[in-house]
Amino acid sequence: MHLGAAMAVIGYARVSSSSQDLGIQLSALTHCDEVFAEVESGAKKDRPKLQELLRYVRKGDVVECTRLDRLARDTHHLLEIVQLFEKKGVALKIQNISLDTSTATGKLMLTMLGAISAFERDLLRERQQEGIERAKREGVYKGRKPTARAKSQQVLELVSQGVSKVDVAKRTGISVPSVYRIITSATQTSTTTASSC
């Protein structure tokens, strides 16, 4: 139960798989009033206990975590979480890097992390663009392959054999709506061709 108006220290612990031990993190968070712990991959966006923690915290609370990678997927994700905490009036402490957003030093660290995150995203975009430009010059860039359209012939053949649209979708690895679009497109094309003759 939340302590209401009084400040609460809320811990968050996470491991990626059941073979990993939560004990080390939990022992470092024994001073917390409440601890949210879960076994979820860091890559997953929807971590139930983290979402529960984000809803649970109140103004004046401090969220504490042993390591940055236990809480956030990447720097961008961390900044999103911190932004939410700031709106709620909640501070964040990360033990292994001595990050405390309630202090001037902690706020400076966050500003630096934000700048690094923006720099990383810009760098990634530049590299992607350079790769695309090089591929275009070498004549190997084809853009994104239209998967469903590439399988039009296969879809139409299966449909003509009396295979159900759901089974066609399963066999070709495309969605049922894509199957319908291919059939509709083929019907319209044949109607247009017939009317022009």
Side-chain angles (χ1 to χ4, degrees):
M1 186 175 175
H2 201 280
L3 299 179
M7 184 202 84
V9 179
I10 317 295
Y12 178 72
R14 180 188 63 79
V15 289
S16 300
S17 68
S18 54
S19 62
Q20 294 175 312
D21 184 18
L22 266 170
I24 296 168
Q25 292 178 62
L26 294 175
S27 64
L29 298 169
T30 51
H31 61 283
C32 295
D33 301 297
E34 186 88 25
V35 176
F36 291 79
E38 62 188 335
V39 179
E40 288 287 354
S41 165
K44 282 186 72 173
K45 289 185 179 182
D46 186 25
R47 287 186 254 155
K49 286 294 180 182
L50 177 59
Q51 296 307 316
E52 194 180 327
L53 179 147
L54 295 175
R55 289 191 297 271
Y56 178 83
V57 289
R58 300 288 181 270
K59 186 174 182 178
D61 287 349
V62 176
V63 173
E64 194 161 331
C65 196
T66 58
R67 288 185 4 223
L68 196 55
D69 64 340
R70 298 300 86 197
L71 178 68
R73 294 187 306 275
D74 50 34
T75 311
H76 182 64
H77 186 218
L78 170 70
L79 294 170
E80 283 179 358
I81 292 170
V82 170
Q83 201 170 36
L84 177 65
F85 285 163
E86 283 177 349
K87 282 180 186 173
K88 288 190 160 199
V90 173
L92 172 66
K93 286 186 179 181
I94 305 291
Q95 292 177 358
N96 74 322
I97 57 171
S98 303
L99 173 68
D100 182 350
T101 64
S102 67
T103 67
T105 305
K107 285 172 185 168
L108 175 63
M109 281 178 75
L110 269 181
T111 304
M112 290 167 67
L113 284 170
I116 292 165
S117 177
F119 173 71
E120 285 172 347
R121 285 198 303 276
D122 288 344
L123 210 57
L124 182 63
R125 275 196 293 268
E126 281 178 20
R127 284 177 184 157
Q128 286 173 335
Q129 194 56 45
E130 283 171 7
I132 289 168
E133 292 301 324
R134 184 170 55 251
K136 282 180 179 176
R137 282 195 305 274
E138 293 168 3
V140 293
Y141 180 74
K142 306 293 182 190
R144 189 174 166 185
K145 190 177 178 182
T147 310
R149 203 176 303 159
K151 296 184 177 180
S152 295
Q153 193 59 42
Q154 189 183 354
V155 167
L156 295 172
E157 282 173 12
L158 289 169
V159 169
S160 69
Q161 292 165 18
V163 179
S164 75
K165 292 167 184 69
V166 173
D167 284 338
V168 170
K170 284 179 184 173
R171 289 191 199 182
T172 56
I174 62 175
S175 67
V176 175
S178 292
V179 171
Y180 277 99
R181 276 195 293 276
I182 289 167
I183 295 165
T184 304
S185 176
T187 305
Q188 286 171 349
T189 303
S190 60
T191 304
T192 304
T193 305
S195 64
S196 63
C197 291

